Amino acid sequence: MQWGLLSVFSTLGSLVAFGINFNASNLQVPMSVYIVFVLLMASAFFVAAFSIVPPAQVRRRDGTPAAHYPHEGLWEEMKRQRLLLKDWRLLAMFIPMFASEVPIIVLSSLNSLYFNIRTRSLNSLMFNVMQIVGAIWIGLMLDNWKIASRRTRGMVTVTAVAVVVIAGWIGLTVWLYRNPMDLLDPPLFDWTDGPFGGFFVLNLIFGMNMVIYQVTVQWIISSFTNDPEHLARLAGLVKGVLAGGVAAAFGTEAAGLTQLQVVAYNFTIQAVGLVLMAVMAWTCVTRTSCTTEESVSPPAEVQTNLGKDMEKDDQAS
């Protein structure tokens, strides 16, 4: 849901830029694009101010609270943050977190180096459109109740994500081999030129990669707990490590590496991340932890279903 909404509004912003740049003849981004984006971003403050409610007021459909929220001071919170770094499961997920958002750096750089303004705007628009598609698809995969076992659901999803991710990186490597570039004389292709077609397809694949890889990482990590406060700490950790991966990806661009070397680095860390995701999905994803955490109030239907399962186990024994 969160990624879907994010992608929808990112697409609207890209659509504005595409409309403004459709007939652009120079390489300068018009000031109107920046003004529109600043206004869109500023509007988020007003939406948040009138939409966010206190956590203690959050209720499920059956009227039960999501969790208990005891007050904790700053020092206690800092200690709990430090304990995250002692959890071997999070350490194992470090590379997947680190590699979650690197595709946008690679594709943005190639888009700016190889294409003119209006074609860049089209690529950016479609990249965001595919994030909407990816968000819907990955949600259907991870919440597919036809696969009762959450562990199996995780393994099936990681496998499907691996197919998309690996296909994209291999395709991009082939495209770069076929379209070498001189940084001092960039080609600035238009969408009417031959090389655009292959890159356009790859751009769609990487738009999905941007979402499905990251959401799968978040899903695996969020399966470790049902405690909202712990989940909030995990969310902060994920975003912090993710930002480090983005910074490192920018660093490979700034270090003067060739585009093929940049692709090789990012492909490697995402591939290693996929292996670790598969291992963690198999070994650490359980049915639920909401009945074993004191701060969590299990939904009524979960308690009922677990009770039925226990009765079946007793009868079988």
Side-chain angles (χ1 to χ4, degrees), residues 189-208:
F189 295 126
D190 188 69
W191 62 53
T192 58
D193 298 321
F196 169 75
F199 187 88
F200 182 76
V201 174
L202 291 169
N203 187 60
L204 299 180
I205 294 174
F206 277 97
M208 290 192 66

Side-chain angles (χ1 to χ4, degrees), residues 72-246:
E72 293 182 348
L74 177 61
W75 179 245
E76 181 65 24
E77 182 62 30
M78 292 178 66
K79 287 195 296 183
R80 290 181 180 273
Q81 292 283 356
R82 180 171 56 85
L83 290 175
L84 294 179
L85 302 178
K86 295 183 178 182
D87 189 335
W88 70 270
R89 299 172 300 177
L90 297 177
L91 295 178
M93 289 295 291
F94 182 87
I95 291 179
M97 288 187 277
F98 192 80
S100 293
E101 212 163 280
V102 296
I104 194 172
I105 309 305
V106 178
L107 268 290
S108 295
S109 295
L110 294 176
N111 195 28
S112 64
L113 291 170
Y114 274 93
F115 301 100
N116 59 24
I117 282 289
R118 72 172 191 162
T119 308
R120 294 177 200 173
S121 298
L122 175 62
N123 285 333
S124 177
L125 172 62
M126 296 309 302
F127 188 90
N128 285 300
V129 168
M130 290 308 294
Q131 288 187 59
I132 300 175
V133 176
I136 295 172
W137 177 67
I138 200 67
L140 293 174
M141 291 285 292
L142 293 172
D143 293 332
N144 186 353
W145 295 106
K146 293 181 180 179
I147 305 176
S149 168
R150 199 158 64 145
R151 175 181 296 166
T152 303
R153 218 181 306 153
M155 291 300 298
V156 170
T157 302
V158 170
T159 302
V161 170
V163 171
V164 175
V165 169
I166 293 172
W169 286 115
I170 292 176
L172 185 58
T173 302
V174 172
W175 190 87
L176 286 172
Y177 266 116
R178 292 180 176 177
N179 298 279
M181 179 195 60
D182 181 0
L183 287 174
L184 300 178
D185 186 25
L188 301 181
F189 295 126
D190 188 69
W191 62 53
T192 58
D193 298 321
F196 169 75
F199 187 88
F200 182 76
V201 174
L202 291 169
N203 187 60
L204 299 180
I205 294 174
F206 277 97
M208 290 192 66
N209 178 335
M210 175 75 177
V211 177
I212 62 177
Y213 193 103
Q214 185 172 162
V215 170
T216 305
V217 169
Q218 294 172 352
W219 183 86
I220 293 172
I221 292 175
S222 66
S223 72
F224 299 162
T225 181
N226 283 89
D227 182 349
E229 290 191 341
H230 195 179
L231 285 169
R233 297 183 190 103
L234 292 178
L237 177 67
V238 170
K239 285 299 182 182
V241 176
L242 180 154
V246 170

Side-chain angles (χ1 to χ4, degrees), residues 105-106 245-259 261-263 265-266:
I105 309 305
V106 178
V246 170
F250 274 119
T252 61
E253 297 281 353
L257 300 179
T258 66
Q259 290 303 313
Q261 290 171 328
V262 171
V263 167
Y265 160 77
N266 290 289

